[in-house]
Amino acid sequence: MDSREKELLKKIGEQAVRQLWREAFGGKAHGSRHLYRVNRIAMYLWEREGGDEFLILATAWVHDVSLAQGDDSDPAKVEAFTMGFLRKFEALSEAESRMIAQCAGAHETGGEDLPLEARIVHDADVLDKSGMLGVVRHIWKMTHMLKGRVLYTEKDLDELRDHLTEREGKLFSKTARNLGKILNEPRKLFFGDRTFAVKTMTWISNLDQQGVICEKVAEMLLKKSSHPSLVLLKDQLSCDFLSSFNNQEGETPK
Ligand SMILES: [Fe+2]
């Protein structure tokens, strides 16, 4: 990357984090580390899958800016909102803005004919919604946005499991699919223990409604329980699962 791109990434990252903290979920996600993790994961995927590094990392920073307007399920609305957000960065060309906004628009839904850069950010976002961190994070989204209430029923649990399973089924790259498999193995133990799962989902959802951010909830869960499903949760928070995966594959970390 050249110095213009490095400088732009720094500014885009700062503004995107600020916007997510201030405006998404009515300001309740203040302190969230999601964008930092998606950047780490996207960088890891870029090293193995290729693509344009600058476009990938810029998209990783801005992929959730449209949460400031609420629901992020409509790709066209996400793309238009992201385009508006990018206009403030004068050093960014029109073509770069369009490409980043298009990639951001596709981050939730994915799609076969997308550019490699869009597929990588999509996969990085799905990986941060994988494993038990994904469970904690989607309970947050259901509590604050999709249901707008504390989750407590068996049906809520089924919806939670079905959404996570659906997203994981759409991973594009081989590296992401392998990582997803490792992260989601312990999650089966969570959904397989329904009594524990419903109780834990309600406990998490209650904390979410009180405005406790996902990272804090995950740390509290690790202190409260030694359920086997939680084995990788700490490594997901720090992204250390990436280096463990490196070692398993016999790779040398870059
Ligand atoms: Fe995201």
Side-chain angles (χ1 to χ4, degrees):
M1 273 193 292
D2 60 31
S3 56
R4 179 193 70 99
E5 291 172 331
K6 279 184 191 156
E7 189 58 31
L8 261 171
L9 266 191
K10 193 169 167 280
K11 285 187 185 153
I12 290 172
E14 281 167 5
Q15 295 276 335
V17 169
R18 195 173 301 162
Q19 170 138 337
L20 185 81
W21 285 9
R22 275 195 196 155
E23 294 178 40
F25 304 102
K28 292 196 182 85
H30 193 277
S32 163
R33 306 294 298 172
H34 171 60
L35 296 182
Y36 295 95
R37 289 191 303 270
V38 170
N39 251 265
R40 288 272 301 274
I41 301 169
M43 172 79 91
Y44 184 93
L45 295 178
W46 166 73
E47 284 169 347
R48 284 149 188 84
E49 304 286 338
D52 184 294
E53 184 186 15
F54 171 68
L55 293 175
I56 289 170
L57 297 182
T59 305
W61 282 125
V62 304
H63 77 278
D64 273 340
V65 293
S66 70
L67 280 174
Q69 59 165 359
D71 187 8
D72 65 343
S73 57
D74 180 343
K77 281 189 192 161
V78 173
E79 189 172 332
F81 191 89
T82 309
M83 201 60 199
F85 173 85
L86 293 171
R87 287 203 195 287
K88 66 183 89 157
F89 304 99
E90 286 171 6
L92 206 56
S93 74
E94 180 72 14
E96 286 169 331
S97 295
R98 288 205 176 283
M99 180 70 173
I100 295 166
Q102 188 205 346
C103 292
H107 85 270
E108 184 82 13
T109 51
E112 284 302 328
D113 50 357
L114 291 171
L116 175 59
E117 289 79 9
R119 283 184 271 142
I120 285 185
V121 176
H122 165 270
D123 283 3
D125 194 45
V126 172
L127 287 171
D128 203 47
K129 264 263 176 94
S130 298
M132 283 306 291
L133 182 57
V135 168
V136 172
R137 293 194 56 241
H138 200 59
I139 292 174
W140 168 279
K141 193 167 183 180
M142 286 175 75
T143 302
H144 283 291
M145 188 181 283
L146 305 177
K147 296 279 178 194
R149 61 162 172 80
V150 168
L151 313 183
Y152 64 96
T153 68
E154 298 255 345
K155 194 166 168 277
D156 291 336
L157 185 73
D158 290 341
E159 281 182 38
L160 170 68
R161 181 202 55 210
D162 293 348
H163 171 84
L164 295 169
T165 311
E166 191 197 330
R167 285 206 75 189
E168 155 206 339
K170 290 196 291 193
L171 283 167
F172 292 106
S173 70
K174 188 167 171 274
T175 311
R177 282 199 297 274
N178 287 338
L179 282 165
K181 229 180 266 171
I182 291 170
L183 293 177
N184 289 323
E185 205 52 45
R187 199 184 66 193
K188 288 183 195 158
L189 302 173
F190 176 79
F191 286 111
D193 187 349
R194 280 185 80 83
T195 310
F196 174 77
V198 172
K199 217 171 119 188
T200 305
M201 172 185 73
T202 305
W203 180 81
I204 293 171
S205 187
N206 264 306
L207 287 168
D208 290 348
Q209 206 175 49
Q210 291 162 39
V212 183
I213 60 168
C214 294
E215 287 78 2
K216 186 78 194 146
V217 170
E219 283 165 13
M220 289 166 76
L221 183 57
L222 283 166
K223 274 195 191 141
K224 171 186 150 78
S225 170
S226 54
H227 194 272
S229 60
L230 303 173
V231 64
L232 293 177
L233 183 55
K234 190 165 171 277
D235 279 358
Q236 282 197 268
L237 286 170
S238 61
C239 282
D240 281 354
F241 71 95
L242 295 171
S243 38
S244 325
F245 182 64
N246 261 344
N247 296 338
Q248 274 186 27
E249 295 289 288
E251 291 181 27
T252 311
K254 289 177 185 171

